[in-house]
Amino acid sequence: MNDAPAVVARGLWKRYAFAGPATIARKVWDLIRPNRRPEPDSFWALRDVSFEVRPGECLGIIGDNGAGKTTLLRILCGVTRQTRGTVATVGRIIPLIELGAGFHPELTGRENVFLNAILLGMTRREAAAQFDRIVEFSGLHEFIDMPVKRYSSGMYARLGFSVAAFFDPEVLLIDEVLSVGDLAFANRAYRHMAKVARSAAVVFVSHNLGAVTSICTRALWLRAGAVQQVGDPDQIVRAYVDATMQGVARDGERPGAVLDLRDPEFDVRRVELLDRSGAPSGAFQSGDDIRVAIAYWSARGRHAFFQVLIRSPVTNTSVSTASMLVDGEPVWLDAGEGSIECVFKTLPLQPGAYVVGVTVFPETGYLGLLGKGYQVARFTVSLPGDEERGGFRDYYNLLGTLGPVRAAYEWKRPEPPSRAG
């Protein structure tokens, strides 16, 4: 393997100016009211970013929306020019940033394959030699002679990726381009990317933290345009998730604390995650049983509904739910301290970080909320067995949890009295 870096970025800064009538209006307003605090007429999208990527390395770039990730890729591929700093790359660069950006809507898929291939630097003879493989990879045989203006966004992306896939680049730049593709195509695409990454220098921007930890050799965390941390992907992703959770806490969800408790006669004291053996754990494998143990206190006997919600702290989307409200059967709570468990059976979560929330409702349901005892517990999920980094065993290891996961669950609770209270 060549030890010389294929990508070198040194002290990159990028400033964008606010232009147009709005900026003029602000300047006029500043003249009229000189004591008014002036608003900025520009902002820095990147602030002193430096890194190197060698052939055979994959650098994952993570961060919130607006952190500067796409701006950085645009500078690396020459679409955008930096305000300060230097960029040096070696060899052919293939940017997978806006797939199909060069497609003409009135031309057919066949015609656009040749057009896009030439725009990417391939000769017509090379494009003709690769044409059948490109179409086979895209899976668009029956639509290849249809104008691309009739393609769906997923078909558009599939054809664009397929054209770019059959190059042999020294540098590959990827910006979350497969989110619109179906799972089968994304699986093929990720496997192809893994093959290219064995010899090329890859810069991979993604919100899919499971994919970053699975395929990248290093990770770089951007925040507000500046490098927050760079290093081992597992450590960087963990630090990013922890910081995200702290941000959630600032918005009102304090991990491990009861929130918005409206009934002084009821309290959720603790939420703990247990493995199959009953031992506390914050790390599980996909397909494990996950036991959510809830400790509570009640001043009097009552009926109540419990609800356990698993969600992604990064996307803030619900992943799996167990709800007595849906089951239509409340639980009886004796006065004093007690506990109840919710066991998710063989929960097929993708690799990544998750949080658990617990909400308690009265017997009447959502109306007349008695507690809203809500706590947060964190855990991570990995795949069973040792996965070779960059191996891409299958898309299950890469795509992350794309939506709600249906899983069987069981409430372990005390038997209700014959008729108490």
Side-chain angles (χ1 to χ4, degrees):
M1 181 185 298
N2 185 4
D3 289 335
V7 179
V8 178
R10 291 284 181 265
L12 292 183
W13 293 72
K14 178 60 181 178
R15 181 175 63 186
Y16 287 105
F18 297 115
T23 300
I24 297 174
R26 282 199 300 268
K27 291 184 179 297
V28 171
W29 191 248
D30 290 340
L31 291 174
I32 296 174
R33 297 188 61 183
N35 294 329
R36 176 177 175 268
R37 183 178 179 179
E39 297 184 23
D41 57 5
S42 65
F43 75 98
W44 289 97
L46 292 178
R47 303 167 183 267
D48 196 20
V49 175
S50 299
F51 60 88
E52 295 181 355
V53 187
R54 289 174 168 77
E57 289 185 335
C58 181
L59 176 67
I61 300 180
I62 62 175
D64 297 335
N65 291 329
K69 303 183 299 295
T70 299
T71 296
L72 178 58
L73 284 193
R74 289 176 177 273
I75 290 175
L76 294 180
C77 68
V79 173
T80 300
R81 185 173 180 82
Q82 66 272 20
T83 306
R84 304 177 196 163
T86 60
V87 171
T89 58
V90 176
R92 181 186 295 187
I93 301 176
I94 297 299
L96 300 182
I97 299 177
E98 295 180 6
L99 295 178
F103 284 177
H104 192 293
E106 299 295 336
L107 299 181
T108 65
R110 180 186 302 272
E111 294 165 333
N112 273 297
V113 165
F114 285 94
L115 174 62
N116 207 234
I118 292 172
L119 289 175
L120 289 174
M122 192 183 292
T123 67
R124 184 173 181 82
R125 178 175 295 182
E126 290 174 329
Q130 298 284 5
F131 180 80
D132 290 340
R133 297 177 63 197
I134 291 172
V135 176
E136 181 182 1
F137 190 89
S138 71
L140 297 174
H141 308 80
E142 56 185 311
F143 305 105
I144 197 64
D145 290 311
M146 176 188 295
V148 297
K149 66 181 180 180
R150 298 175 184 169
Y151 282 15
S152 68
S153 59
M155 294 166 66
Y156 218 80
R158 286 166 61 178
L159 189 61
F161 181 91
S162 300
V163 174
F166 289 94
F167 280 78
D168 186 19
E170 282 72 33
V171 178
L172 183 63
L173 308 176
I174 309 166
D175 185 11
E176 200 78 271
V177 294
L178 298 176
S179 58
V180 295
D182 56 59
L183 294 183
F185 179 77
N187 185 25
R188 295 200 302 273
Y190 276 123
R191 288 179 182 274
H192 186 84
M193 285 161 47
K195 181 180 178 181
V196 173
R198 295 191 186 105
S199 58
V202 179
V203 180
F204 177 49
V205 167
S206 180
H207 288 289
N208 187 328
L209 303 182
V212 171
T213 57
S214 297
I215 71 177
C216 297
T217 55
R218 287 186 300 135
L220 184 150
W221 170 19
L222 281 178
R223 173 186 278 179
V227 176
Q228 195 72 14
Q229 293 185 33
V230 60
D232 178 76
D234 292 327
Q235 296 178 1
I236 300 304
V237 166
R238 188 178 300 114
Y240 173 58
V241 171
D242 287 343
T244 301
M245 286 304 303
Q246 292 174 9
V248 171
R250 286 192 295 271
D251 291 338
E253 294 183 9
R254 295 178 287 114
V258 178
L259 306 178
D260 195 21
L261 191 61
R262 302 176 186 176
D263 187 347
E265 296 185 345
F266 181 83
D267 189 8
V268 173
R269 295 287 174 83
R270 186 176 66 258
V271 175
E272 192 172 33
L273 303 181
L274 311 175
D275 60 21
R276 288 180 178 176
S277 66
S281 178
F284 297 88
Q285 292 184 347
S286 184
D288 280 351
D289 289 354
I290 298 180
R291 298 168 58 182
V292 183
I294 306 164
Y296 62 84
W297 170 85
S298 181
R300 57 181 175 83
R302 68 177 77 194
H303 283 93
F305 294 92
F306 282 78
Q307 180 171 283
V308 177
L309 176 69
I310 298 177
R311 64 183 179 85
S312 165
V314 177
T315 62
N316 199 29
T317 55
S318 174
V319 174
S320 192
T321 305
S323 177
M324 292 181 181
L325 287 169
V326 176
D327 302 338
E329 184 179 354
V331 64
W332 173 261
L333 307 181
D334 287 324
E337 294 185 349
S339 64
I340 186 171
E341 280 190 11
C342 177
V343 183
F344 288 90
K345 301 288 190 177
T346 60
L347 193 58
L349 294 179
Q350 308 288 4
Y354 300 90
V355 293
V356 174
V358 175
T359 310
V360 184
F361 301 97
E363 187 177 7
T364 53
Y366 287 99
L367 299 177
L369 185 65
L370 67 82
K372 198 182 180 185
Y374 187 78
Q375 292 202 1
V376 173
R378 288 180 264 178
F379 69 98
T380 59
V381 172
S382 61
L383 281 181
D386 294 327
E387 296 295 327
E388 178 184 357
R389 190 177 301 282
F392 291 85
R393 188 182 71 175
D394 53 26
Y395 69 84
Y396 189 72
N397 189 28
L398 303 171
L399 299 180
T401 301
L402 301 178
V405 172
R406 292 186 178 273
Y409 60 85
E410 175 187 2
W411 295 99
K412 292 187 176 181
R413 52 191 172 177
E415 292 295 329
S418 55
R419 188 55 187 166

